[in-house]
């Protein structure tokens, strides 16, 4: 396996123009059969996916990922984003900078948690770039649906105090494996910052967007979710499975698993489910 690190620059058209984003890739020794573009979740970073990348490269896939603006080793403000489109700008830059020899290969989008929401909304305008998509614990529906009052308050705070922290994540909901939780809490690239008023409002807006436009997605999609996920609602994955326009789609809800299904004790089985499904799509 070959590992490389690099940097991307957001274009002048972005609301975070000129920002530098950290990126990295893992490539198998042999010519890859396909490329996985990995989109990580809130308050984490691409470096937490080394085991994911190891599994994928052993199965012949190249993996490319970046740290979102405001995350990991990238520029930006923890917990905040000026506009959700900045995340899409990062994906644009990452895909544009894929190695020339890999651009002609089938590309699969894999998004986890907030990355699932980023990925799903990105597909609304860019699905023709991919052969398939895999969403893990995507943030499509909130675990507790906010009231109209809370939605209005969120938008109000987004305008007057956009960087104010409004929502914290419970690290104990990440995994049933205590070592994973301990590593997450000790990770210097995990800030522990609350989701800001602006990011919360942007997430709610984009959740509404994907819910109202899900039928536009027609490419093959695999939806994976832990049944005991307390950070993103499994109902969001169920909703997408029932409403996307894809003919080739599969929903797997894992009993007892928490939010980070790629970091649960059963992670190897989950990863095999993912790569086996991708293989089935490539074989079509």
């Amino acid at each position: 396996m070959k590992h490389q690190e690099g940097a991307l620059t957001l274009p002048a058209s972005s609301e975070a123009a000129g920002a530098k984003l950290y990126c990295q890739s893992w490539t198998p020794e042999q010519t890859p059969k396909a490329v996985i573009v990995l989109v990580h979740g809130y308050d984490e970073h691409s470096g937490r996916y080394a085991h994911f990348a190891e599994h994928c490269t052993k199965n012949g896939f190249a993996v490319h990922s970046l740290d979102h603006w405001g995350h990991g080793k990238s520029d930006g403000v923890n917990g905040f984003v000026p506009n959700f489109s900045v995340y899409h700008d990062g994906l644009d830059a990452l895909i544009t900078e894929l190695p020339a020899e890999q651009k002609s290969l089938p590309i699969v989008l894999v998004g986890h948690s907030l990355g699932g929401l980023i990925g799903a909304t990105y597909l609304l305008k860019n699905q023709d770039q991919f052969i398939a998509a895999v969403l893990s614990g995507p943030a499509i529906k909130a675990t507790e649906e906010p009231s109209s009052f809370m939605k209005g308050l969120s938008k109000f705070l987004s305008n007057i105090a956009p960087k104010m922290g409004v929502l914290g994540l419970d690290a104990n909901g990440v995994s049933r494996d205590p070592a994973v939780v301990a590593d997450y809490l000790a990770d210097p690239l995990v800030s522990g910052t609350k989701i800001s008023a602006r990011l919360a409002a942007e997430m709610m807006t984009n959740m509404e967007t994907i819910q109202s436009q899900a039928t536009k997605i027609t490419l093959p999609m695999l939806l994976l979710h832990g049944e005991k996920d307390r950070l993103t609602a499994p109902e969001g994955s169920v909703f997408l499975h029932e409403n996307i326009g894809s003919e080739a789609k599969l929903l797997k809800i894992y009993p007892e698993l928490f939010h980070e299904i790629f970091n649960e004790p059963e992670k190897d089985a989950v990863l095999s489910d993912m790569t086996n499904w991708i293989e089935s799509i490539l074989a079509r």
Side-chain angles (χ1 to χ4, degrees), residues 117-130:
L117 178 61
I118 294 168
T121 50
Y122 188 77
L123 290 175
L124 292 175
K125 294 182 179 179
N126 300 282
Q127 63 181 318
D128 58 337
Q129 298 187 57
F130 306 99

Side-chain angles (χ1 to χ4, degrees), residues 3-24:
H3 178 237
Q4 289 186 302
E5 300 175 272
L8 306 166
T9 303
L10 291 182
S13 58
S14 175
E15 290 203 28
K20 300 292 184 183
L21 304 183
Y22 172 82
C23 61
Q24 58 183 323

